[in-house]
Amino acid sequence: MRLTVIGTGYLGAVHAACMADIGHDVLGVDTDPRKIEALAAGRAPFFEPGLPEILTRNTENGRLRFTTSLNEAADFADLHFVCVGTPQRPDSLAADLSHVEAVVDGLAPLLTRDSLVVGKSTVPVGTTRALSRRLAAGLRPGVDAEVAWNPEFLREGYAVQDTLHPDRLVAGVTSPRADQLLRAVYESMLRAGVAYVSTDPATAELVKVAANSFLATKISFINAMAEVCDASGADVVTLAEALGHDARIGRRFLSAGLGFGGGCLPKDIRAFLARAEELQVGEAVSFLHQIDRINHRQRRRTVDLARHVLGGSFAGRRVAVLGATFKPDSDDVRDSPALAVTAEIAAEGAEVLVHDPEGLDNARTALPGPTYCTDVTQACRDADLVLHLTEWRQYRDLDPVELAEVVGAPRLIDARNALDSALWRAAGWNVRALGRPVHVPQPGSGDALRVTIPQAAGTSWTAPTPGDPFSGAPK
Ligand code: NAD
């Protein structure tokens, strides 16, 4: 089939390359000429495992091309996937839909044949209906076009795998023709047994938002338990393990730590809150305010713990930060908890040296100031404290004995509860983590210690505000 993918960022570039890889003729469209130039040359403009290989393969075999011209897109195909960004608005919790609206407004008058516009971006419920009206208003006489929604569930770091082998496909359609076209696009996956849920657009839009709200809730739930563990001497890692044995609960997304970030979960739960208010059912999802606040509190708690470990002040101290991206296997630093913590400790007077395997360029742009290092040893040399903030695999493979010889003092905060604390302690490190006792108790030893992370006195938590990674924190 011939199709276009409009918006070739993390979602669209992967979707375009994967659609070509399963045999379609694909034209990728973006307003960013540098992105298009890189993609057309078969170069991934961001780090995503497996993407360079499928980009090269499909640009070379001619099934995948790129352009900045929407005119060319309208000429090329009658099926258009919309993958542009839907960030949080600067002035509210709501999603900024101006990019999806611009695509529909731009495309409508260019269409000369009956067409299907399929949204993949994450949007508030009701968007397909509103965009359908916009599209209809802009069409030439005699041209028929409709909008469907086909939300995307890929995870950065696994995006190629997730796109080629999704858990499920969800199609929000208003006509049998749209359903047939989408089934044809994904025919090879349907033959492989991938579940296909055909529904109305509102349900399809909600599936994505509800899925991200559930995942965010699971993460914040275990982080809330970590706070209770800190106050009571219990161990959140053992708690999560024991909870996870219950098949109704499951172990995944129950890793306590610094919390979630990135370009999706935070803005998606806020956009959901805003949309629910508009629908006058704000109360039904008001718990998401708490989810957001718990999440932001982990950033503050990590900074508080670090300051405490350093004796009460960051001034004049040297801190090594391991990890800048919002998650491993991505170079994405959008709303990165690691960078939020880095910014705060730098603002409090620490000299901060940051290492990340793939995110240094983006981190340097997002947060100028800290020293960015391509080598872990360089980042850790003479450090008074090492902060493990993003759980890249290579940090789990570090040799704590070797690293202890490099640092100024062997102090580690494992803000992702991902390192082998017993191994690091055996190598002489003072290891601390959110939700874990200072010494993890051995069964029957009764040596659990209650841990209180001091906060500034007389403070209260306020609701997060857009663009401020610490707005859930005490003022
Ligand atoms: P992104 O910022 O990486 O990419 C968006 C792209 O759209 C950019 O390249 C931008 O230049 C382009 N664009 C903006 N306006 C345009 C226009 N009028 N015409 C053509 N191109 C235009 O964002 P992303 O992470 O790819 O996310 C896109 C959407 O997909 C969002 O709604 C997001 O919530 C959703 N999503 C993202 C992921 C993910 O893991 N990143 C997963 C599932 C869903």
Side-chain angles (χ1 to χ4, degrees), residues 1-2 77-81 111-118 135 139 142-149 171-186 196 198-199:
M1 296 170 75
R2 286 165 80 96
D78 306 328
L79 179 56
H80 306 280
F81 283 97
L111 299 176
T112 54
R113 302 174 301 265
D114 293 355
S115 305
L116 179 64
V117 176
V118 183
L135 184 70
L139 289 174
V143 176
D144 190 19
E146 62 182 301
V147 183
W149 221 262
V173 292
T174 49
S175 76
R177 178 177 160 272
D179 192 49
Q180 279 158 15
L181 275 171
L182 281 172
R183 283 179 193 272
V185 169
Y186 296 119
Y196 180 90
S198 181
T199 182

Side-chain angles (χ1 to χ4, degrees), residues 32 55 223 225 232 266 362 387 427 441 460:
D32 181 344
L55 262 182
N223 282 334
M225 294 305 104
S232 60
N362 286 343
L387 292 178
S460 63

Side-chain angles (χ1 to χ4, degrees), residues 6-12 29-32 35 83-86 99 102-103 120-122 152-156 208 263-264 267-268 332 334:
I6 304 171
T8 54
Y10 283 92
L11 164 62
V29 188
D30 204 286
T31 45
D32 181 344
K35 213 170 261 186
C83 298
V84 296
T86 51
H99 302 292
V103 171
K120 286 196 81 63
S121 306
T122 304
E152 178 56 57
F153 302 93
L154 66 80
R155 299 161 297 170
E156 286 177 28
K208 173 65 187 178
C264 291
K267 60 110 173 144
D268 288 349
D332 195 346
R334 288 178 288 185

Side-chain angles (χ1 to χ4, degrees), residues 17 213 231 452:
S213 296
T452 326

Side-chain angles (χ1 to χ4, degrees), residues 218-389:
K218 218 172 161 189
I219 297 169
S220 278
F221 173 82
I222 200 65
N223 282 334
M225 294 305 104
E227 293 186 40
V228 178
C229 285
D230 276 338
S232 60
D235 178 12
V236 76
V237 173
T238 309
L239 176 73
E241 184 196 332
L243 287 173
H245 285 299
D246 187 329
R248 295 169 302 177
I249 298 174
R251 177 64 181 81
R252 297 181 70 191
F253 274 66
L254 274 191
S255 296
L258 188 47
F260 57 82
C264 291
L265 251 55
K267 60 110 173 144
D268 288 349
I269 61 171
R270 291 176 201 155
F272 196 12
L273 280 161
R275 184 69 187 120
E277 282 291 343
E278 286 165 10
L279 293 169
Q280 303 190 343
V281 285
E283 191 65 26
V285 296
S286 61
F287 69 93
L288 291 174
H289 280 301
Q290 279 298 334
I291 300 307
D292 205 4
R293 290 172 65 172
I294 292 166
N295 189 52
H296 271 71
R297 212 150 60 216
Q298 307 320 310
R299 303 176 182 194
R300 169 62 58 191
R301 275 167 34 84
T302 301
V303 173
D304 288 340
L305 178 59
R307 192 189 308 102
H308 174 63
V309 165
L310 288 175
S313 168
F314 288 106
R317 308 309 287 269
R318 195 175 163 103
V319 178
V321 164
L322 302 183
T325 53
F326 88 96
K327 64 183 284 191
D329 300 314
S330 172
D331 64 358
D332 195 346
V333 299
R334 288 178 288 185
D335 197 4
S336 165
L339 272 196
V341 167
T342 302
E344 181 65 17
I345 59 180
E348 289 193 32
E351 179 192 3
V352 191
L353 293 92
V354 182
H355 174 269
D356 191 278
E358 297 291 341
L360 290 184
D361 288 345
N362 286 343
R364 203 178 281 114
T365 306
L367 181 67
T371 304
Y372 290 98
C373 308
T374 51
D375 181 77
V376 173
T377 308
Q378 185 195 355
C380 292
R381 191 167 302 286
D382 300 328
D384 296 302
L385 172 66
V386 176
L387 292 178
H388 176 234
L389 301 185

